[in-house]
Amino acid sequence: MIMPRTFDLGIIRGTGMTVAPSATREKIVTAADRLFYERGFEATSFADVAELVGISRGNFYYHFKTKDQILDAVIERRIRDRHEMLCGWVDDGQPPRDCIANFIGILLKNNRKIRSFGCPVGTLFSELTKLDHPGETGARGLFDLFRVWLRHRFQDMGCGKEADALALHILARSQGVATLANAYPDEDFLEREVAQMLAWLDAVADQHNNHH
Amino acid sequence: MIMPRTFDLGIIRGTGMTVAPSATREKIVTAADRLFYERGFEATSFADVAELVGISRGNFYYHFKTKDQILDAVIERRIRDRHEMLCGWVDDGQPPRDCIANFIGILLKNNRKIRSFGCPVGTLFSELTKLDHPGETGARGLFDLFRVWLRHRFQDMGCGKEADALALHILARSQGVATLANAYPDEDFLEREVAQMLAWLDAVADQHNNHH
DNA sequence: GACAGGTTAGGACAAGCGACCTAATGATAA
DNA sequence: TTATCATTAGGTCGCTTGTCCTAACCTGTC
């Protein structure tokens, strides 16, 4: 397991020291995280975030020098959250097949948000790529997190060299399902596709159980 | 086959008459189509389009009253182009299996653009949804065009009631592959997934050949 | 030449944006 | 109390945006 980015656990502001994160800063990141997801990064203004947090606009400059820094903090948090979630499943001692099934299950767990706004990872990456925004690297890091984690689970299942291709495959399937669930928000489609993905997963598992 | 939108084949400008489309208007739509795809709708300004076309900014108002009208025209053209492409395959007398294979082949044919900017349909829809933009309906119409066409091809293959689910499935797979090809622009992934989709298609075809 | 109608260029306009500054506030420690 | 320093509110700045207006430009026909 590789942490794709170093984590800024607090405010540094020139002192070179790591301090406990400010409560307001965390509120800003939380609000920005939500608005970047629901409205997109560019369409979200400082005023929007300030209104949601309930603070003054001008106050932002104290916590973040630029809008890009807020984006970095949001991506950082998203990576940390997903990282914890994924590692939690492994630490629980769940077998790799169940871990991957949990990943697929995210689509159902978050089905309402996904049907409204698509996948937080895919839509953010897509937007930043089009904007030629440096944050694209961080957004790709989110993909990397899932890709590497899935690869390791498939390796644990004994898939060997195929593991990375399988990881990308299931990642792509999830992205596609999220996109179409967003365009056609009827619940049946999502459940149907998740069931198919789980069946596919079990077929892969069986195939490698029989071989070894 | 249903045309999801009526086509405005020219400029109306109050007269209620349909006139031959102006050359400048077509240039504007072409440039906007490209920029909306490469940079996104909101991030593309009138100045950007004007520069690409080589005309004055202020001139836009003569051809389009608002930016939204340009978007409508772009979506209209995209629908018309895809409609012609899809109908062309059917009119050529290609069997349904080959028609669907052609659809999957779009991913390879446009692989360079897709790896750079993602899928023109999916990314546009995703952006407009987040913006709560009325053009979302038109963008969904693009999905509808493919969905209905694919459904009819699967029906022609004898898939009956499953046809629509199969159409959505292959649509979702395409979307996911495009998204990940955008994030990881190495050629192998795209070719691998396309091969898998074609294998899946043949499996579906065989299944329904044996049954009947 | 004179005229008319479709077309174009260039600029004006208010609104909103990110970035930035400064004075006021609040809590803590001497 | 006083001093200190982190934090906040409110406002300004230059810039870009979409929208809109008007004068000039073609390119025909009379």
Side-chain angles (χ1 to χ4, degrees):
Chain A
M1 179 64 53
I2 298 168
M3 299 286 284
R5 292 165 65 91
T6 58
F7 288 154
D8 175 12
L9 289 173
I11 314 163
I12 300 188
R13 273 201 296 281
T15 65
M17 293 186 56
T18 298
V19 196
S22 141
T24 304
R25 191 191 143 102
E26 293 304 296
K27 279 190 204 166
I28 292 175
V29 175
T30 301
D33 190 357
R34 175 174 159 190
L35 292 177
F36 289 174
Y37 175 41
E38 297 184 355
R39 306 185 189 177
F41 169 69
E42 235 212 345
T44 300
S45 69
F46 277 61
D48 294 332
V49 181
E51 191 190 16
L52 187 58
V53 178
I55 62 169
S56 163
R57 274 161 288 116
N59 190 11
F60 275 79
Y61 191 66
Y62 177 74
H63 296 282
F64 302 95
K65 290 204 197 305
T66 67
K67 195 183 176 185
D68 292 353
Q69 285 188 3
I70 302 183
L71 176 63
D72 286 341
V74 167
I75 292 176
E76 201 169 87
R77 167 183 289 192
R78 288 192 188 181
I79 288 181
R80 191 179 55 226
D81 290 350
R82 271 72 170 176
H83 178 79
E84 281 176 15
M85 178 184 66
L86 296 177
C87 289
W89 294 337
V90 177
D91 293 344
D92 284 351
Q94 297 194 48
R97 184 264 166 205
D98 290 354
C99 282
I100 301 172
N102 282 343
F103 168 79
I104 296 169
I106 299 176
L107 286 168
L108 284 183
K109 191 182 152 209
N110 298 340
N111 80 84
R112 204 143 46 183
K113 286 184 181 177
I114 288 174
R115 284 184 288 153
S116 295
F117 310 107
C119 170
V121 181
T123 56
L124 179 67
F125 178 84
S126 166
E127 181 181 4
L128 296 182
T129 300
K130 285 190 196 293
L131 294 177
D132 248 332
H133 193 284
E136 175 191 339
T137 307
R140 199 199 319 272
L142 261 167
F143 271 131
D144 286 336
L145 177 66
F146 287 110
R147 175 183 183 170
V148 171
W149 183 86
L150 283 167
R151 183 172 68 211
H152 286 161
R153 300 291 80 72
F154 279 113
Q155 282 171 345
D156 293 346
M157 279 172 55
C159 298
K161 289 179 183 174
E162 298 175 47
D164 190 57
L166 293 170
L168 284 177
H169 177 80
I170 207 68
L171 212 45
R173 291 273 287 266
S174 306
Q175 282 299 308
V177 170
T179 303
L180 248 74
N182 187 211
Y184 299 113
D186 71 288
E187 193 129 14
D188 285 349
F189 166 73
L190 229 161
E191 291 179 0
R192 212 165 49 219
E193 290 290 326
V194 166
Q196 285 183 41
M197 288 169 73
L198 291 174
W200 172 89
L201 173 63
D202 287 331
V204 171
D206 285 347
Q207 185 181 334
H208 284 87
N209 278 337
N210 296 341
H211 269 284
H212 307 300
Chain B
M1 178 66 56
I2 297 167
M3 299 286 285
R5 291 166 66 92
T6 58
F7 289 153
D8 176 11
L9 290 172
I11 315 163
I12 299 187
R13 273 201 295 280
T15 66
M17 294 186 57
T18 297
V19 197
S22 142
T24 304
R25 190 193 144 101
E26 293 305 296
K27 280 190 205 165
I28 292 175
V29 176
T30 301
D33 190 357
R34 175 174 159 190
L35 292 178
F36 288 175
Y37 176 39
E38 298 184 356
R39 306 184 190 176
F41 169 69
E42 235 211 346
T44 300
S45 69
F46 277 61
D48 295 332
V49 182
E51 192 190 17
L52 187 59
V53 178
I55 62 168
S56 163
R57 271 164 293 114
N59 192 10
F60 274 80
Y61 190 67
Y62 177 74
H63 296 282
F64 301 96
K65 293 207 196 305
T66 67
K67 195 182 177 187
D68 292 353
Q69 285 189 3
I70 303 183
L71 176 63
D72 287 342
V74 167
I75 292 176
E76 202 168 88
R77 168 182 288 192
R78 288 192 188 180
I79 289 180
R80 191 178 55 224
D81 289 350
R82 271 72 171 175
H83 178 77
E84 281 178 14
M85 178 184 66
L86 296 177
C87 288
W89 296 337
V90 176
D91 293 344
D92 284 351
Q94 297 193 48
R97 184 264 166 206
D98 291 356
C99 282
I100 300 172
N102 282 344
F103 168 79
I104 297 169
I106 298 175
L107 287 167
L108 285 183
K109 191 183 152 205
N110 298 340
N111 80 84
R112 203 140 50 182
K113 286 184 181 177
I114 289 174
R115 284 184 288 154
S116 295
F117 311 107
C119 170
V121 180
T123 56
L124 179 67
F125 178 84
S126 165
E127 181 181 3
L128 296 182
T129 301
K130 285 189 194 294
L131 294 176
D132 248 331
H133 193 283
E136 175 190 341
T137 307
R140 199 198 319 270
L142 262 166
F143 271 131
D144 286 336
L145 177 65
F146 287 109
R147 176 183 183 171
V148 172
W149 183 86
L150 284 166
R151 182 171 70 210
H152 287 160
R153 300 291 80 73
F154 279 113
Q155 282 171 344
D156 293 346
M157 279 171 56
C159 298
K161 289 179 184 174
E162 299 175 47
D164 190 57
L166 294 169
L168 283 177
H169 177 79
I170 208 68
L171 214 44
R173 291 273 285 266
S174 305
Q175 283 298 310
V177 170
T179 303
L180 249 75
N182 189 209
Y184 299 113
D186 71 289
E187 192 127 16
D188 285 350
F189 167 74
L190 228 161
E191 291 179 359
R192 213 166 48 221
E193 289 290 328
V194 166
Q196 285 183 39
M197 288 168 73
L198 290 174
W200 172 89
L201 173 62
D202 287 331
V204 172
D206 285 348
Q207 186 182 333
H208 284 86
N209 278 336
N210 297 340
H211 269 285
H212 306 303

